[in-house]
């Protein structure tokens, strides 16, 4: 495995930071998940769901393949145990707010004084500096709302809507893994670790950075538009006769104009003066959308797919989650991994998005139960059994 031998201590909760550690665990890192006695709140996300739902696929996604220990850092021996785990770690990954870490003596200066090679990775809502640095943040607030992602997504005149679970978090997970790997590479050259920091806010801004680059350069930006009033009718959603939707995304410079209208069964539109030039098609985009709407609805989805593929056009079906889960191309792309419980039972889960041909990434062990490996991890850290049992009796470890 790519990261075999890399030791990651994760003192984090929810999704963004655990997701980053989960990716590294998928790639072979040894990840120790340190939780408070109440556990990561994501363990309880389905607690109030219908009784016929078994398991917790959301938690399993980000925590599979890790080992779990429970430490109460409000107790000196619990705090000392976490610091001891960091002494021989390569990465300490956390989303606990910096002020709380400093009060507990788990801040970067303290841990890196004991382990100068440590990569100290911090995931925050809004960054480490500035007036709102200490504010709590979730992806709906910091990534979606504050970073402008949501505003740019809602068509003009529409009301805001909530982000789906974990979208901003998992984007930040990818950014965090990138930052950690860059710092590890630097450590190979210098022998020294460093602080790396990502935030939901900055990740959100980068996610829509193509639009924000226009805003910064020109001081204004076109709004998202509804399907019936597109900026470009060739880059739009249409439905087939059976109601299945698809999206077109044409190549630039008008290259796909004639192939698209031919695939739609309307090559005559090339002679329509309303659409004679690229500029005319932009001015009359709503009218062109009406024409293409009617044209594509004469064909079944299978017929549309065949006609678009024959013309080598860039398009995609607009799929539901159920469609995606059954999509053979998603499976072929390595989008799923099988989670096994060691007892012959398993279920599919989304895979980390990078593939490494020749490396078996098809199965992963399950997420650990709360405190599953507490005794094992403390023994590895050098604690005698008598001390471990005393910590458990005291509540410093569970």
């Amino acid at each position: 495995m790519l990261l075999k031998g890399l030791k990651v201590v994760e003192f984090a909760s929810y999704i963004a930071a655990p997701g980053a550690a989960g990716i590294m665990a998928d790639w072979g890192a040894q990840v120790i998940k340190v939780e408070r006695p109440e556990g990561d709140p994501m363990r309880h996300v389905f607690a109030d769901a219908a009784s016929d739902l078994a398991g917790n696929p959301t938690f399993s996604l980000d925590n599979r393949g890790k080992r779990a220990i429970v430490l109460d850092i409000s107790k000196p021996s619990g705090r000392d145990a976490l610091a001891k785990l960091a002494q021989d770690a390569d990465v300490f990954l956390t989303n606990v707010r910096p002020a709380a870490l400093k009060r507990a003596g788990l801040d970067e200066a303290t841990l890196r004084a004991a382990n100068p090679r440590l990569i100290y990775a911090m995931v925050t809502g809004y960054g480490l500096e500035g007036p709102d640095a200490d504010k709590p943040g979730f992806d709906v607030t910091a990534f979606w709302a504050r970073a402008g992602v949501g505003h740019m997504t809602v068509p003009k005149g529409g009301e805001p809507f909530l982000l789906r679970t974990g979208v901003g978090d998992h984007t930040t997970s990818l950014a965090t893994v990138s930052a950690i790997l860059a710092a590890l590479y630097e450590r190979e050259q210098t022998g020294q670790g460093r602080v790396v920091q990502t935030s939901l806010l900055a990740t959100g801004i980068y996610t829509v950075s193509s639009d924000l680059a226009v805003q910064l350069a020109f001081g204004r930006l076109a709004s998202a538009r509804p399907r019936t009033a597109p900026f470009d009718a060739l880059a739009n959603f249409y439905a087939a006769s059976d109601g299945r939707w698809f999206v077109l995304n044409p190549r630039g410079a008008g290259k796909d104009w004639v192939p698209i209208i031919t695939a739609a069964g309307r090559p005559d539109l090339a002679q329509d003066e309303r659409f004679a030039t690229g500029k005319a098609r932009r001015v009359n985009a709503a009218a062109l959308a009406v024409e293409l709407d009617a044209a594509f609805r004469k064909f079944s989805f299978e017929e549309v797919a065949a006609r678009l593929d024959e013309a080598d056009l860039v398009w995609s079906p607009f799929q539901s989650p159920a469609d995606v889960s059954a999509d053979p191309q998603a499976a072929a792309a390595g989008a799923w991994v099988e989670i096994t419980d060691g007892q012959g039972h398993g279920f599919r889960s989304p895979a980390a998005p990078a593939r490494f041909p020749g490396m078996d990434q098809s199965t992963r062990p399950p997420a650990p139960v709360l405190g599953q490996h507490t005794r094992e991890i403390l023994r590895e850290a050098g604690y005698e059994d008598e001390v471990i049992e005393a910590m458990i009796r005291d509540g410093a470890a569970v």
Side-chain angles (χ1 to χ4, degrees), residues 34-38 70-80 394-398:
V34 182
E35 297 175 81
R36 301 175 191 268
E38 62 272 19
V70 172
L71 297 172
D72 186 348
I73 66 166
S74 69
K75 298 181 182 295
S77 59
R79 176 267 164 210
D80 291 346
D394 182 50
V398 178

Side-chain angles (χ1 to χ4, degrees), residues 232-238 246-252 254-270 281 288-289 291-293 295-296 299 303-304 307-315:
D232 179 0
L234 302 184
N236 203 8
F237 290 90
Y238 295 99
F246 60 94
V247 64
L248 297 171
N249 193 357
R251 302 170 180 89
K255 177 180 179 180
D256 288 338
W257 160 237
V258 172
I260 285 175
I261 58 175
T262 301
R266 289 294 309 276
D268 58 294
L269 291 174
R281 292 193 289 275
L288 179 55
E291 298 284 1
L292 292 176
D293 253 335
F296 280 119
F299 302 105
E303 290 173 320
V304 169
R307 296 173 76 94
L308 295 176
D309 284 341
E310 185 179 0
D312 193 31
L313 291 164
V314 184
W315 74 281

Side-chain angles (χ1 to χ4, degrees), residues 112-124:
R112 289 196 61 249
N115 180 3
R117 288 176 56 82
L118 183 67
I119 307 302
Y120 192 98
M122 307 180 72
V123 179
T124 68

Side-chain angles (χ1 to χ4, degrees), residues 120-139:
Y120 192 98
M122 307 180 72
V123 179
T124 68
Y126 299 101
L128 295 178
E129 300 177 0
D132 295 332
D134 292 329
K135 280 189 173 183
F138 285 127
D139 66 345

Side-chain angles (χ1 to χ4, degrees), residues 59-357:
F59 183 77
S60 294
L61 168 65
D62 296 313
N63 294 284
R64 63 195 179 215
K66 300 178 183 179
R67 294 191 296 163
I69 180 173
V70 172
L71 297 172
D72 186 348
I73 66 166
S74 69
K75 298 181 182 295
S77 59
R79 176 267 164 210
D80 291 346
L82 179 49
K84 189 174 180 65
L85 292 177
Q87 283 181 12
D88 67 348
D90 296 290
V91 179
F92 182 83
L93 173 61
T94 186
N95 64 352
V96 177
R97 283 186 275 181
L101 291 165
K102 189 171 182 61
R103 287 194 300 269
L106 297 167
D107 54 294
E108 174 266 335
T110 301
L111 295 189
R112 289 196 61 249
N115 180 3
R117 288 176 56 82
L118 183 67
I119 307 302
Y120 192 98
M122 307 180 72
V123 179
T124 68
Y126 299 101
L128 295 178
E129 300 177 0
D132 295 332
D134 292 329
K135 280 189 173 183
F138 285 127
D139 66 345
V140 170
T141 57
F143 175 96
W144 182 247
R146 187 73 178 264
V149 183
H151 188 278
M152 281 183 261
T153 304
V154 176
K156 186 175 183 179
E159 294 184 349
F161 55 88
L162 289 175
L163 179 66
R164 299 294 302 193
T165 301
V167 174
D169 286 316
H170 284 130
T171 308
T172 304
S173 297
L174 292 170
T176 303
V177 172
S178 298
I180 289 170
L181 294 181
L184 287 168
Y185 179 80
E186 180 191 49
R187 191 182 72 176
E188 290 300 304
Q189 321 306 313
T190 66
Q192 295 292 309
R194 67 155 52 247
V195 176
V196 301
Q197 183 268 328
T198 58
S199 70
L200 294 163
L201 174 63
T203 303
I205 289 170
Y206 185 77
T207 300
V208 289
S209 56
S210 294
D211 281 321
L212 283 173
V214 174
Q215 176 68 45
L216 292 171
F218 302 136
R220 65 180 187 272
L221 182 69
S223 300
R225 299 191 182 194
R227 192 189 71 82
T228 55
F231 179 73
D232 179 0
L234 302 184
N236 203 8
F237 290 90
Y238 295 99
S241 62
D242 48 12
R244 293 186 62 184
W245 290 90
F246 60 94
V247 64
L248 297 171
N249 193 357
R251 302 170 180 89
K255 177 180 179 180
D256 288 338
W257 160 237
V258 172
I260 285 175
I261 58 175
T262 301
R266 289 294 309 276
D268 58 294
L269 291 174
Q271 313 307 320
D272 192 317
E273 62 181 16
R274 296 174 298 170
F275 315 129
T277 65
K279 182 177 181 180
R281 292 193 289 275
R282 293 288 173 84
V283 171
N284 297 296
L288 179 55
V290 171
E291 298 284 1
L292 292 176
D293 253 335
F296 280 119
R297 284 186 183 273
K298 294 179 179 178
F299 302 105
S300 70
F301 179 82
E302 287 71 19
E303 290 173 320
V304 169
R307 296 173 76 94
L308 295 176
D309 284 341
E310 185 179 0
D312 193 31
L313 291 164
V314 184
W315 74 281
S316 174
F318 187 62
Q319 300 201 130
S320 70
D323 295 330
V324 176
S325 68
D327 189 335
Q329 188 57 47
W336 316 123
V337 65
E338 186 80 8
I339 308 298
T340 61
D341 63 3
Q343 299 177 353
H345 303 108
F347 58 91
R348 285 191 308 163
S349 185
R355 299 286 90 194
F356 304 98

